[in-house]
């Protein structure tokens, strides 16, 4: 039952951000699916003891792969699906807690939370970039040698 709740809420969050970012109406379901797929991978890995940062890296990689598939299949820019899909992974609450602890002069906790938020944000970026690099390598190898 927990997984069903996670699937539904991550779908809604991603599709809602698609609306906020003025994604085309016909792509909103696909935005929700990309976020839902990434979040359930993250949630499953994190729940099973894989580290949060590594789980985020794998989830963002998968979101980028799904986004590339949707972009190619529906002839739509990849950014529409990847931005909406990444939203559930963004460590906004963690960053908020870090800032709150800075304001409350609890610097040790604040620094720890800020470092974790930075590592998660970096994992998101690396996952997206790594997926694009692999996509480019596959495309170039399927085209044959460049003359």
């Amino acid at each position: 039952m927990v997984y069903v709740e996670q699937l539904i809420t991550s779908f809604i969050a991603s599709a809602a951000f698609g609306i906020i970012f003025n994604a085309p109406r016909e792509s909103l379901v696909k935005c929700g699916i990309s976020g839902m797929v990434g979040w359930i991978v993250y949630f499953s890995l994190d729940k099973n003891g894989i580290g949060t940062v590594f789980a985020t890296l794998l989830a963002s990689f998968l979101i980028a792969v799904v986004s590339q598939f949707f972009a190619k299949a529906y002839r739509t820019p990849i950014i529409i699906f990847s931005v909406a899909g990444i939203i559930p992974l963004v460590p906004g609450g963690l960053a908020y807690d870090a800032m709150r602890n800075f304001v409350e002069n609890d610097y040790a906790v604040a620094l720890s939370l800020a470092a974790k938020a930075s590592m998660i944000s970096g994992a998101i970026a690396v996952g997206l970039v790594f997926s694009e690099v692999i996509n480019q390598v596959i495309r170039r190898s399927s085209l044959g040698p460049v003359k």
Side-chain angles (χ1 to χ4, degrees):
M1 190 63 181
V2 172
Y3 282 97
V4 173
E5 293 170 357
Q6 295 293 324
L7 287 168
I8 292 169
T9 55
S10 61
F11 178 88
I12 291 170
S14 296
F17 267 88
I19 293 169
I20 291 171
F21 292 135
N22 291 323
R25 188 171 284 231
E26 61 273 2
S27 68
L28 293 178
V29 170
K30 297 163 202 77
C31 290
I33 290 171
S34 68
M36 180 178 67
V37 167
W39 179 257
I40 204 64
V41 166
Y42 166 79
F43 184 75
S44 299
L45 292 174
D46 192 45
K47 191 171 180 114
N48 289 316
I50 304 296
T52 304
V53 176
F54 189 66
T56 303
L57 175 73
L58 291 177
S60 66
F61 177 80
L62 185 61
I63 288 168
V65 169
V66 169
S67 297
Q68 289 168 1
F69 171 77
F70 283 149
K72 194 172 200 175
Y74 297 102
R75 298 187 185 272
T76 309
I78 190 172
I79 194 92
I80 291 172
F81 307 112
S82 60
V83 169
I86 286 297
I87 291 301
L89 298 178
V90 173
L94 202 57
Y96 171 81
D97 289 340
M99 287 298 111
R100 186 176 47 86
N101 281 293
F102 271 122
V103 169
E104 293 173 352
N105 295 329
D106 193 355
Y107 298 117
V109 173
L111 204 53
S112 173
L113 292 172
K116 189 171 183 178
S118 296
M119 289 176 24
I120 291 171
S121 299
I124 291 171
V126 168
L128 291 173
V129 169
F130 189 59
S131 173
E132 183 59 31
V133 167
I134 289 175
N135 185 35
Q136 292 295 326
V137 167
I138 291 170
R139 284 167 123 190
R140 287 190 180 157
S141 67
S142 67
L143 292 176
V146 178
K147 295 181 182 180

